[in-house]
Amino acid sequence: RSWRVWTSQGVTPARRFVVGDLPEVVEKETEGAPLPRPVALPLTVNGRIFPQEDIDVWTFELRKGQSVTASVEAARLGSPLDSRLEVRDPDGRATAENDDGQTGADSFLRFSATKDGTYQVRIHDVAFKGSQSHVYRLTLTADPHVDRVFPLGGRRGTRTSFHPAGQGVSATAQVIDIPTTVPPS
């Protein structure tokens, strides 16, 4: 949804208002070195990179072989944040990173746990900028996540096989009968 505010001084530009379907947490800013914040998957973090050079660190437990998708919404919300994600394993070694995902400046990555333990996802601005307006939504999930479907559609009145792909998604084709008429809007 889009929203605006009108006052006697004028109107704001249209902004996106996003409602997710996962549990959500709001980051609590603290001064000093980045402090890891433990969370339970799946969830969406509403955070901000502030002040400059800020790094937010989110930690969670994984079992060996478990796959996690990490997706950032920032630029799509109108934020100046050019996000960079880094994943660290239980030994503190970087195992995955991304600074431009499938949707431009918003980061996206998927990784698999190499061993049981506490993993970190770190987020910051690529140029280490930061301000009150450098906001983001970071979604972390080990649940199924559809990346794409082929084909993108089908002909009316036909039965079509759709092949989804992604994390934890069955490779079995889903057969759907496409209606012959378009429902009224």
Side-chain angles (χ1 to χ4, degrees):
R1 295 279 187 210
S2 294
W3 64 272
R4 291 181 172 201
V5 175
W6 282 267
T7 70
S8 60
Q9 296 178 355
V11 63
T12 65
R15 296 286 187 191
R16 286 184 64 197
F17 182 80
V18 180
V19 177
D21 58 355
L22 296 176
E24 301 206 12
V25 298
V26 176
E27 174 201 15
K28 292 181 176 67
E29 288 289 346
T30 58
E31 291 186 33
L35 297 173
R37 306 284 182 196
V39 294
L41 304 184
L43 87 152
T44 297
V45 174
N46 295 282
R48 175 176 45 216
I49 300 301
F50 177 75
Q52 291 188 19
E53 300 182 5
D54 185 29
I55 300 172
D56 292 346
V57 182
W58 304 96
T59 64
F60 43 88
E61 298 297 317
L62 292 178
R63 294 179 317 278
K64 181 179 179 176
Q66 198 170 6
S67 179
V68 173
T69 298
S71 176
V72 174
E73 279 184 283
R76 291 176 282 169
L77 299 174
S79 171
L81 175 65
D82 185 358
S83 63
R84 180 178 185 279
L85 290 176
E86 179 184 285
V87 176
R88 293 195 180 178
D89 68 11
D91 298 324
R93 290 188 301 256
T95 60
E97 61 183 282
N98 178 269
D99 67 0
D100 287 328
Q102 303 164 326
T103 54
D106 289 342
S107 302
F108 176 93
L109 63 79
R110 178 168 297 129
F111 68 96
S112 293
T114 55
K115 61 170 108 175
D116 293 354
T118 302
Y119 284 75
Q120 291 184 2
V121 169
R122 302 164 71 89
I123 180 171
H124 64 84
D125 185 82
V126 170
F128 287 100
K129 295 179 181 177
S131 72
Q132 295 284 355
S133 60
H134 280 69
V135 296
Y136 65 87
R137 287 174 56 84
L138 170 62
T139 299
L140 299 167
T141 184
D143 292 343
H145 183 278
V146 176
D147 294 332
R148 62 190 167 279
V149 175
F150 182 83
L152 297 177
R155 183 170 290 181
R156 287 185 196 166
T158 64
R159 175 173 266 195
T160 306
S161 294
F162 292 93
H163 302 271
Q167 171 178 289
V169 177
S170 170
T172 305
Q174 303 295 311
V175 179
I176 298 174
D177 292 322
I178 312 264
T180 56
T181 60
V182 178
S185 42

